[in-house]
Amino acid sequence: MRQLSIWLWQFIDIIMAVLLAAMILLVFANVVLRYGFSSGLRPSVELSRLGFVWVVMLGAVTALRRGEHLAVTELADRLFPRAVPFLRKAIWLVILVSVWMLFWGAAKQTLANWNNISPLTGLPSGLFYLAGVVSGALMGFVALFNLFGPLHKPDDEAQE
């Protein structure tokens, strides 16, 4: 199971890298074509925007898993050191509720917009909202693991 988890997170990192590289190529090619040849790739703007949405949402999942989101813990650590484990569990509960709302709202929007086909790319508009569904589900699993299981330390994987 641990190996599957490691593979999943590496796969997400690879997807983000590929999407970022594709976005860079699309935007660069579009700029060269637009200013050098007075033409351009019309779908590149929409594809870049779609890639950006997916990179941001998957990046948020990765940041949550690694504990790299912005947090101010000095006050709780100094004033309430005995309550810190309880506060961390409470925070994971709040995160779980928040990502459930993200998942539920994004799922409804994905279904509502799936039949809206873009004239430029031919892709469903629901793909933008599907990023919220996938990231909400993945963040929910991270929150559940940290709420009910031991706190995950990504540094342990690097040492193995």
Side-chain angles (χ1 to χ4, degrees):
M1 187 65 154
R2 182 166 172 78
Q3 190 64 27
L4 181 65
S5 173
I6 292 170
W7 179 84
L8 172 70
W9 295 114
Q10 289 175 344
F11 182 69
I12 290 172
D13 288 341
I14 290 168
I15 288 174
M16 287 191 307
V18 167
L19 284 173
L20 188 61
M23 288 168 43
I24 290 169
L25 287 173
L26 281 171
V27 171
F28 179 75
N30 201 31
V31 167
V32 169
L33 286 171
R34 182 165 292 157
Y35 292 108
F37 302 102
S38 296
S39 67
L41 301 171
R42 290 178 49 203
S44 71
V45 173
E46 187 172 336
L47 288 173
S48 297
R49 189 173 59 224
L50 180 62
F52 183 71
V53 168
W54 276 89
V55 166
V56 167
M57 296 307 284
L58 292 175
V61 173
T62 304
L64 180 66
R65 177 189 165 264
R66 294 177 181 166
E68 294 176 349
H69 278 288
L70 181 63
V72 180
T73 59
E74 287 80 15
L75 184 66
D77 290 344
R78 290 187 186 190
L79 296 179
F80 311 108
R82 291 184 184 183
V84 167
F86 171 75
L87 291 173
R88 286 191 179 146
K89 294 292 183 180
I91 288 168
W92 283 113
L93 184 62
V94 169
I95 290 171
L96 187 61
V97 170
S98 299
V99 297
W100 171 252
M101 290 189 292
L102 169 67
F103 175 83
W104 186 252
K108 290 172 100 175
Q109 287 299 314
T110 300
L111 293 174
N113 289 292
W114 197 259
N115 291 327
N116 296 339
I117 304 299
S118 168
L120 291 176
T121 61
L123 297 173
S125 297
L127 285 175
F128 286 98
Y129 302 103
L130 187 61
V133 174
V134 171
S135 67
L138 290 172
M139 285 191 271
F141 286 127
V142 170
L144 279 172
F145 180 79
N146 285 308
L147 182 62
F148 295 113
L151 288 176
H152 182 65
K153 296 177 184 164
D155 295 335
D156 295 342
E157 289 177 8
Q159 294 172 359
E160 291 179 358

